[in-house]
Amino acid sequence: MKALSRRWKIVLGILAAGSLIGLSVAWWLIPPGALAFAGGTRVALDAYSGPNPTGVSTELKSADAVTRGRYLAALSGCQICHTEEGSAPFAGGHAFPTPFGTLYSPNITPDRRTGIGDWSDADFLRAMHKGIAKDGSHLYPAFPYDSYALMTDEDALAIKAYLFSLKPVRQTPPRNTLPFPFNQRWLMGIWGAVYTPSDRFRPHADRSPEWNRGAYLVEALAHCNDCHTERNLAEAPNNRRKFGGGIADGWLAYNITQDETSGLGAWSDDEIARYLSGSHVQGRGAAAGPMAGVVDVELNHASQADIRAMVAYLRSIPPAAGDLPAPRPTAAPDSPRAEVAAFDNRGKHVFEGACASCHGWSGASPLTGYATLTGSRAVNDPSATNVASIVLFGTERLTPQGRIAMPAFGKAYSDAEIAAVANYVTARFGARGSHLTAKDVAKLREGS
Amino acid sequence: MIELRVNGEAKSVDVAPDMPLLWVLRDVLHLTGTKFGCGIAQCGACTVHIDGKPVRSCQLAVGALGNRAITTIEKIGETPAGARVQKAWLDLEVIQCGYCQSGQIMSAAALLNSVPHPDDADIDAAMSGNICRCGTYVRIRAAIKRAAAEHA
């Protein structure tokens, strides 16, 4: 009797420990929803007393479905991922390198054979809200249907109307290169069931109409969460550190919470609005890399009222502390003589030959504010990931003053030289110098 | 129409605002002393001065310029530093094929305006972005020092 009870104790103990581990794994793997931080009462769209936070900007309310769809598609960023550089817009083929293999975006032009020309409204809604294609296969969450699930049927169908107004392009993207088990699409059904909201956007009754509009734009359309929130082991955004910083195509998508030091807490509303509208912002920098496309292809279509609504919403994101230092607000000395902390001289040599003519020795560009380094997050990031990436791959901006670009230096300089110049740049212009090695640069080179 | 201030004269040009200044100078205003080299601000052949600072005109959209003063190789000899640089260039016979030399002279003149007596490190920092395929670097360095020495 005694032995039995001891055995039971052990069994119970194991069960208790097991369920404790299970619960903590579940806690860790299943973070709260994207809008959970806001708390308060959510109401159905019909029951919300304020103006409808969904749909297009006020100016376009009475426009036809194609025009409304163009606006919504722009803010949802469809074009960026569904376009391969140098190829027709929306015809797919853009590569997404993942830790598990490479995915290619599908063609979403209305071509009946290679695009989505034979999709019904119901097919399109099921893809947008549940991540299931017309043929019943489960889509990979590189397609942000966990965000688009919040979009109203009306808005999703306006996007469909816009896509169906485009010229059909016959183009089949390359096949995905995912090995077993990641090529088992049905597994994505489980992911979708766990991480996709089952309801469309529900306004928060105790928040302002502007906040609700911003929440809809940021969460249901622009899906900022996709890059700016770190992912857990199941590749789901960890909303416990919502907008605390993540990764986009090998670049760092920085902290956009209200943290004063690492995030946007010290930015004014106007600075955030101008950055999102496509400007460079003095002392803050300008979008580059993947964010350049987000700003120039998506957000520059947004009305100023919608930009302000996004800013109002971003202002409510709880601060997530990070390890990024506060950006150094002052320019470096004009003279190349005023030395920065002793760094590999090679970095200075590369800088004087390749960088100084556009960025200046002070970091305040004599050419354009878009090339000014002072205060930008990238040069104030001691990992120097984005500085090395922009040197390797360059960047392009489509500004109101025309196209402006930084060339790619990846083929002109060795990994060691790029590491040296990145370390020089962060030390000269940033709050804290980086210690990048040739190996780190090689990894960034491969990773894209 | 875009209004520009080139070598002290007001010019209006009918071009797209994203046209690089180099194209406007050479193809529209026919100031062909400024050269096209690489087109990506990496060789220095297209250097001009904007408000006295050396910039690569191949990467500078004219729409962004406004009323800033543009000086090209055609008129740099009318500035004191430019005149001294050009004289030293002739005295020491710096030029070989000559293609990069307008850019070299523009960078050198800007250097003397900011650092009247540059040493080798100053010259490296200011001139490294100007590439010379003939390898006249040794004479360029000597000529900059000569021009500096002429400065009272």
Side-chain angles (χ1 to χ4, degrees), chain A residues 334 336-337 349 352-354 356-358 361 366-367 401-405 407 409 413, chain B residues 17-18 40-42 53-56 59-61 63 68 119 121-122 124-125 128-129:
Chain A
D334 267 325
R337 293 211 147 249
H349 284 316
E352 67 192 8
S357 64
C358 290
W361 285 96
L367 286 183
Q401 291 86 39
R403 178 186 173 275
I404 192 163
F409 293 91
Y413 291 99
Chain B
D18 61 349
I40 53 168
Q42 288 308 300
K53 290 222 161 122
V55 300
R56 311 300 185 225
Q59 283 289 305
L60 184 56
R68 294 198 277 170
D119 64 12
D122 295 318
D124 286 347
S128 287

Side-chain angles (χ1 to χ4, degrees), chain B:
Chain B
M1 289 301 245
I2 292 175
E3 309 292 326
L4 295 173
R5 197 146 55 90
V6 184
N7 293 328
E9 288 175 42
K11 301 272 184 194
S12 26
V13 288
D14 185 12
V15 299
D18 61 349
M19 183 183 273
L21 174 62
L22 177 61
W23 272 248
V24 176
L25 291 175
R26 290 184 55 87
D27 295 352
V28 181
L29 300 175
H30 307 296
L31 293 168
T32 51
T34 308
K35 302 301 182 198
F36 172 87
C38 66
I40 53 168
Q42 288 308 300
C43 76
C46 66
T47 305
V48 301
H49 289 188
I50 304 293
D51 289 339
K53 290 222 161 122
V55 300
R56 311 300 185 225
S57 60
C58 71
Q59 283 289 305
L60 184 56
V62 278
L65 272 169
N67 194 37
R68 294 198 277 170
I70 303 160
T71 310
T72 68
I73 187 70
E74 282 82 0
K75 292 285 176 180
I76 194 66
E78 294 181 6
T79 68
R84 277 185 283 123
V85 168
Q86 285 185 328
K87 181 170 180 307
W89 244 247
L90 290 172
D91 289 349
L92 295 186
E93 296 185 2
V94 169
I95 293 170
Q96 192 159 315
C97 92
Y99 197 81
C100 69
Q101 296 291 333
S102 346
Q104 303 281 3
I105 289 169
M106 296 306 284
S107 289
L111 168 63
L112 291 186
N113 278 331
S114 60
V115 186
H117 296 283
D119 64 12
D120 284 347
D122 295 318
I123 294 173
D124 286 347
M127 303 298 295
S128 287
N130 288 80
I131 294 171
C132 171
R133 67 181 174 187
C134 307
T136 61
Y137 300 112
V138 178
R139 295 204 294 273
I140 288 173
R141 192 185 293 280
I144 291 174
K145 288 183 176 169
R146 165 83 68 107
E150 309 249 316
H151 186 59

Side-chain angles (χ1 to χ4, degrees), chain A residues 82 88-92 106-119 163-171:
Chain A
H82 286 282
F90 301 103
N107 179 345
I108 54 167
T109 70
D111 183 56
R112 293 188 75 84
R113 216 163 68 201
T114 61
I116 59 167
D118 62 347
W119 286 38
L163 293 175
F164 274 61
S165 76
L166 301 170
K167 204 174 129 234
V169 179
R170 187 142 295 180
Q171 175 174 304

Side-chain angles (χ1 to χ4, degrees), chain A residues 276-410:
Chain A
L276 293 178
S277 309
S279 297
H280 57 84
V281 181
Q282 194 173 4
R284 304 287 183 200
M291 191 63 189
V294 172
V295 166
D296 295 340
V297 181
E298 297 179 20
L299 299 178
N300 73 344
H301 294 272
S303 73
Q304 276 309 300
D306 277 352
I307 291 280
R308 278 196 302 275
M310 294 171 87
V311 174
Y313 175 69
L314 288 174
R315 280 281 180 231
S316 74
I317 306 295
D323 45 16
L324 293 170
R328 186 171 121 192
T330 48
D334 267 325
S335 163
R337 293 211 147 249
E339 254 331 314
V340 295
F343 264 94
D344 186 351
N345 232 347
R346 186 151 46 162
K348 187 179 181 188
H349 284 316
V350 174
F351 187 85
E352 67 192 8
C355 319
S357 64
C358 290
H359 294 291
W361 285 96
S362 69
S365 169
L367 286 183
T368 163
Y370 285 94
T372 287
L373 304 174
T374 316
S376 81
R377 176 43 80 196
V379 302
N380 286 284
D381 167 9
S383 82
T385 303
N386 289 6
V387 171
S389 294
I390 204 168
V391 172
L392 280 169
F393 310 118
T395 198
E396 183 185 41
R397 291 296 309 266
L398 307 165
T399 77
Q401 291 86 39
R403 178 186 173 275
I404 192 163
M406 166 163 162
F409 293 91

Side-chain angles (χ1 to χ4, degrees), chain A residues 267-277 281 304 311 315:
Chain A
W267 291 45
S268 71
D269 286 358
D270 183 54
E271 285 173 335
I272 303 175
R274 279 190 291 130
Y275 182 98
L276 293 178
S277 309
V281 181
Q304 276 309 300
V311 174
R315 280 281 180 231

